[in-house]
Amino acid sequence: MRNYISTFLFLIFLSQSIFTDSFIYNSYNNHGVIGLINTPTARFYDASSHGITLYDGTPDQKITLTASPYNWLEASFFYTNIQNKPYPGFEHQDYKDKGFNFKIRIKEEGVLPAIAVGINDIAGTALYSSEYIVASYGINNLDLHFGLGWGNLNGSKNKINNPLGYIADNFKERPTDYEDQGGQFQASRYFSGKEASPFFGISYALNEKTLLKIENDTTLTPGTVGYEDPKSSISFGVDYQINKNFSLGVAKERDNYLSFRFIYKNNPVDPKRAYIYEPAEVKNNWNKYTKLRANLENNGIGVNKIIETSDAIGIELTQFAHPNLNVIEEIISSAKFESGIKKDIKKDLRIANLQALTEYDKAFETNAKLIYERKRDRKFNTNTKLTLRPFLASREEFFKGAILLENNSEYIIRDNFFFSSNLKYSLADNLDDLIYPPVDTYPAQVRSDVKEYLKNFDQGVIIGRAQFDYHLSPKKNNHIMLSAGILEEMFSGFGLEYLYFKEKSNFAFGVEVFDVVKRDYKMKFGTLDYKNTTGSLNFYYRNFNIIPFDAKISYGEYLAGDKGATFEFSRSFINGTEFGIFATFTDVSSEQFGEGSFDKGIFFNIPVYGNFINYSWRPLTKDPGAKLNRKNTLHDLLIKFRPHNS
């Protein structure tokens, strides 16, 4: 190990270029946190960056999803398999665990180092529970890191007294057990303990492909995970960049074993660049209105009507593809220029014939000359593609899933009346042996029997959705959607949603009520004997101030009959990327809920090679707090026409 250190010291003198704190040379550690091998650093990616880390070590194996909703905040969710540690009640299975990590930047690097503070496994079962304060400073190709760790990072032989113990005595004692059933935020644990462990490390960019890492590894051994006693306090690793998105890492951890990491990371080149406009191929003899319509439709915006007065042109537009109003206005501005139009353009933006944003009134329309009106034909859209359906956190195996041939179709009966369907066919899956029943099914089994549905994925074509939707705006800013049919994989039913959505306002509110029946496990047209009426009051808020975010608070009755509130907070970007978290608290107590204590999770919408992947992930599939997985809500549709807050 002395040779490794000598090599690093020699490489310092070869440093020429500054590589520190960059998307290329920062990398996720074994726990999905930007860092070295097991220790974190004070480095961050730009807002909207995200990644996946696959780690294979001894004894733990991990999958971690990491997101950067802000350039000062990093959040991640992990799922781990601990080999040779028995799962209670299923001793032939390896132990499985889930948890959340986060890291906050306190200070950017300047004359003094960057500083960050973080917590790992913040609301889990404490297997990886740790807290840290870390500083990072770059010198050309070299990046230096020094920090102080508590909990699972407090395994050094050279510990110091917990400095926070001088502030308050309660920092001197660290709880040895978790509260209730686990999964709760336990403030008494954070940064506590009689002692804390200093850690340090360095990384060196050997070239544009290779990053060398060495650290004083203070991982607590054996700890609750069951690590081997360390032969050394030093861990050494190498990361190799396959390209800007993919990298491989190998490390000799504490001189005990080799571990491997596979990392995918994505950072949109310019998160604020909304759209690349593509002019249409136009003919010289076309008039300016035809050119305008061609340019708009070539960029994903449908034109219903064009009218004109002596002062302005009015266009009624409809679209589904673009993520927000900024993109739409950018396209309209470019299309106007390309078409040679000098007059002001007034917009009437509609989605599913809902009047989302209007810049002209009835008087303008009455006094205007009709230039063009689209023939309202029925239309059929269909798309078939391969998808991966993962199922994590099962007691049967670390990873379960299916490769599906999936078809999504939409038949537009009228501008405001749709029939949409989702059909699935499994090409390959390993879901047949999902045999262990859920532990807790209180107050009614509405989601915890998901395995019974998954086991039937290989039984031919299954119906994921087959529903009718009818939209109307009876009065300005007031919108209604009526839905009926097979609403999702586990429920059929009918109901309505109402939303008050004022143009360019930062809030909206509404109500939804659905009468539902549970579908049978074959996912055709049969049903089970469970029925319920579920509904909620919903409030939405978009913050445009220093810290932009979107929030949703809903209160009502859930699928299982429990009552309570759900809180959602998310950050979206002009390119469509979105990261969010949610938590639901109902009249089901933590004891009745069981492990996890309350429903919580993350959701994201991320671009991967031109396509958006939309996914929600919760640590445990439980019944309390369960909602319908609806295709669209009115707010999902209309938020695209509200100014973005990036």
Side-chain angles (χ1 to χ4, degrees), residues 251-306:
K252 187 66 177 294
E253 297 192 35
R254 301 180 291 278
D255 206 25
N256 284 0
Y257 56 88
L258 285 176
S259 64
F260 300 90
R261 272 179 296 118
F262 175 80
I263 296 172
Y264 166 79
K265 58 182 179 180
N266 187 18
N267 178 27
V269 176
D270 183 357
K272 292 188 177 181
R273 182 172 178 79
Y275 181 77
I276 299 176
Y277 176 83
E278 296 182 6
E281 293 183 7
V282 299
K283 296 181 180 180
N284 293 331
N285 62 342
W286 285 1
N287 61 41
K288 58 187 178 182
Y289 310 107
T290 304
K291 291 178 181 178
L292 174 65
R293 182 163 56 89
N295 281 310
L296 289 171
E297 292 179 349
N298 193 58
N299 288 275
I301 296 180
V303 180
N304 289 339
K305 184 189 293 187
I306 300 177

Side-chain angles (χ1 to χ4, degrees), residues 7-78:
T7 301
F8 267 84
L9 292 175
F10 173 74
L11 289 172
I12 293 176
F13 297 100
L14 301 181
S15 302
Q16 297 296 327
S17 305
I18 296 177
F19 289 95
T20 58
D21 214 7
S22 72
F23 178 75
I24 295 177
Y25 294 103
N26 290 339
S27 64
Y28 297 121
N29 66 12
N30 296 341
H31 310 286
V33 176
I34 295 178
L36 296 173
I37 301 166
N38 280 302
T39 58
T41 68
R43 300 307 184 191
F44 288 80
Y45 290 140
D46 289 338
S48 84
S49 300
H50 49 272
I52 301 173
T53 305
L54 305 178
Y55 168 71
D56 185 13
T58 303
D60 47 347
Q61 302 167 314
K62 267 186 181 179
I63 299 175
T64 309
L65 300 178
T66 309
S68 298
Y70 304 94
N71 60 9
W72 50 265
L73 174 62
E74 175 189 284
S76 55
F77 174 84
F78 69 83

Side-chain angles (χ1 to χ4, degrees), residues 269-541:
V269 176
D270 183 357
K272 292 188 177 181
R273 182 172 178 79
Y275 181 77
I276 299 176
Y277 176 83
E278 296 182 6
E281 293 183 7
V282 299
K283 296 181 180 180
N284 293 331
N285 62 342
W286 285 1
N287 61 41
K288 58 187 178 182
Y289 310 107
T290 304
K291 291 178 181 178
L292 174 65
R293 182 163 56 89
N295 281 310
L296 289 171
E297 292 179 349
N298 193 58
N299 288 275
I301 296 180
V303 180
N304 289 339
K305 184 189 293 187
I306 300 177
I307 57 178
E308 185 178 23
T309 68
S310 58
D311 299 321
I313 294 174
I315 50 176
E316 182 184 303
L317 304 171
T318 183
Q319 66 86 33
F320 291 87
H322 301 300
N324 56 69
L325 182 63
N326 305 61
V327 179
I328 297 167
E329 290 184 336
E330 179 183 321
I331 292 172
I332 293 172
S333 177
S334 298
K336 174 185 173 183
F337 175 80
E338 291 286 340
S339 305
I341 291 176
K342 305 298 183 183
K343 289 184 178 180
D344 290 339
I345 288 182
K346 295 180 180 291
K347 304 179 291 293
D348 183 354
L349 297 176
R350 297 176 179 246
I351 189 164
N353 212 37
L354 299 171
Q355 194 175 61
L357 189 152
T358 304
E359 295 178 344
Y360 58 84
D361 54 19
K362 288 291 184 182
F364 178 90
E365 194 167 359
T366 301
N367 296 324
K369 176 184 177 182
L370 178 64
I371 303 296
Y372 165 82
E373 186 168 18
R374 177 173 64 88
K375 184 179 179 181
R376 307 298 173 99
D377 293 331
R378 297 180 179 180
K379 189 175 181 181
F380 179 71
N381 300 312
T382 187
N383 174 264
T384 301
K385 61 182 179 179
L386 288 176
T387 61
L388 174 65
R389 175 66 175 271
F391 182 64
L392 302 178
S394 73
R395 295 190 297 275
E396 289 81 1
E397 196 172 341
F398 183 61
F399 177 85
K400 291 288 188 180
I403 298 174
L404 303 175
L405 189 65
E406 192 164 359
N407 174 269
N408 288 286
S409 296
E410 184 175 67
Y411 184 58
I412 303 175
I413 302 170
R414 295 175 57 187
D415 282 354
N416 63 342
F417 188 31
F418 305 83
F419 174 76
S420 56
S421 65
N422 170 267
L423 303 176
K424 301 179 177 71
Y425 180 81
S426 176
L427 299 177
D429 66 71
N430 64 343
L431 303 171
D432 290 340
D433 59 349
L434 291 171
I435 58 175
Y436 298 122
V439 177
D440 302 291
T441 60
Y442 183 88
Q445 193 169 35
V446 294
R447 292 293 187 205
S448 58
D449 57 347
V450 62
K451 294 179 182 179
E452 299 301 321
Y453 291 90
L454 295 174
K455 286 192 295 186
N456 284 296
F457 267 40
D458 61 355
Q459 301 300 308
V461 176
I462 60 174
I463 303 173
R465 176 176 285 107
Q467 71 181 60
F468 291 92
D469 293 303
Y470 183 80
H471 303 79
L472 68 156
S473 298
K475 187 178 179 182
K476 186 177 180 180
N477 302 328
N478 293 267
H479 311 285
I480 296 173
M481 176 167 63
L482 305 171
S483 300
I486 298 175
L487 303 176
E488 51 146 290
E489 289 177 357
M490 301 173 74
F491 282 92
S492 297
F494 63 91
L496 65 84
E497 179 188 6
Y498 162 79
L499 182 72
Y500 177 82
F501 187 95
K502 189 176 181 180
E503 298 172 9
K504 298 186 178 181
S505 173
N506 63 346
F507 72 91
F509 59 85
V511 61
E512 57 186 277
V513 180
F514 283 85
D515 192 81
V516 296
V517 59
K518 203 161 194 306
R519 298 178 64 193
D520 71 14
Y521 300 136
K522 294 181 180 180
M523 287 174 286
K524 296 296 194 295
F525 296 100
T527 61
L528 302 177
D529 61 0
Y530 181 80
K531 297 180 179 181
N532 192 25
T533 299
T534 179
S536 64
L537 301 171
N538 304 314
F539 176 79
Y540 307 86
Y541 177 77

Side-chain angles (χ1 to χ4, degrees), residues 50-343:
H50 49 272
I52 301 173
T53 305
L54 305 178
Y55 168 71
D56 185 13
T58 303
D60 47 347
Q61 302 167 314
K62 267 186 181 179
I63 299 175
T64 309
L65 300 178
T66 309
S68 298
Y70 304 94
N71 60 9
W72 50 265
L73 174 62
E74 175 189 284
S76 55
F77 174 84
F78 69 83
Y79 173 52
T80 186
N81 182 73
I82 302 176
Q83 303 167 89
N84 299 319
K85 182 182 178 70
Y87 198 104
F90 303 89
E91 279 69 20
H92 63 287
Q93 288 292 316
D94 290 335
Y95 192 89
K96 316 260 187 325
D97 193 39
K98 293 77 60 180
F100 296 91
N101 311 319
F102 80 87
K103 181 171 68 174
I104 295 175
R105 173 184 281 152
I106 303 300
K107 176 190 174 300
E108 291 190 85
E109 182 175 336
V111 176
L112 297 176
I115 300 174
V117 60
I119 301 179
N120 294 334
D121 202 2
I122 185 172
T125 53
L127 283 177
Y128 296 91
S129 176
S130 55
E131 306 83 47
Y132 56 86
I133 299 172
V134 62
S136 298
Y137 192 80
I139 305 174
N140 298 325
N141 296 42
L142 193 72
D143 213 9
L144 310 172
H145 314 282
F146 178 84
L148 195 62
W150 290 260
N152 211 49
L153 283 172
N154 188 17
S156 173
K157 295 180 180 179
N158 302 306
K159 298 179 182 180
I160 64 172
N161 290 332
N162 184 356
L164 298 179
Y166 297 104
I167 300 175
D169 288 340
N170 58 331
F171 282 111
K172 295 180 181 180
E173 297 294 331
R174 189 177 186 87
T176 58
D177 207 353
Y178 53 78
E179 297 174 356
D180 294 326
Q181 302 296 315
Q184 288 195 350
F185 299 102
Q186 192 171 356
S188 60
R189 181 183 300 277
Y190 308 145
F191 300 95
S192 63
K194 183 179 179 181
E195 298 173 312
S197 290
F199 62 85
F200 56 88
I202 55 178
S203 62
Y204 180 81
L206 188 61
N207 52 47
E208 292 185 354
K209 293 285 188 180
T210 308
L211 187 68
L212 306 180
K213 299 178 175 182
I214 190 169
E215 69 181 13
N216 172 44
D217 192 336
T218 61
T219 299
L220 184 65
T221 58
T224 50
V225 176
Y227 295 111
E228 299 175 13
D229 291 331
K231 297 177 182 177
S232 170
S233 62
I234 301 297
S235 291
F236 177 82
V238 180
D239 280 13
Y240 179 76
Q241 302 276 343
I242 301 172
N243 57 37
K244 68 176 184 178
N245 297 116
F246 294 95
S247 64
L248 295 172
V250 60
K252 187 66 177 294
E253 297 192 35
R254 301 180 291 278
D255 206 25
N256 284 0
Y257 56 88
L258 285 176
S259 64
F260 300 90
R261 272 179 296 118
F262 175 80
I263 296 172
Y264 166 79
K265 58 182 179 180
N266 187 18
N267 178 27
V269 176
D270 183 357
K272 292 188 177 181
R273 182 172 178 79
Y275 181 77
I276 299 176
Y277 176 83
E278 296 182 6
E281 293 183 7
V282 299
K283 296 181 180 180
N284 293 331
N285 62 342
W286 285 1
N287 61 41
K288 58 187 178 182
Y289 310 107
T290 304
K291 291 178 181 178
L292 174 65
R293 182 163 56 89
N295 281 310
L296 289 171
E297 292 179 349
N298 193 58
N299 288 275
I301 296 180
V303 180
N304 289 339
K305 184 189 293 187
I306 300 177
I307 57 178
E308 185 178 23
T309 68
S310 58
D311 299 321
I313 294 174
I315 50 176
E316 182 184 303
L317 304 171
T318 183
Q319 66 86 33
F320 291 87
H322 301 300
N324 56 69
L325 182 63
N326 305 61
V327 179
I328 297 167
E329 290 184 336
E330 179 183 321
I331 292 172
I332 293 172
S333 177
S334 298
K336 174 185 173 183
F337 175 80
E338 291 286 340
S339 305
I341 291 176
K342 305 298 183 183
K343 289 184 178 180

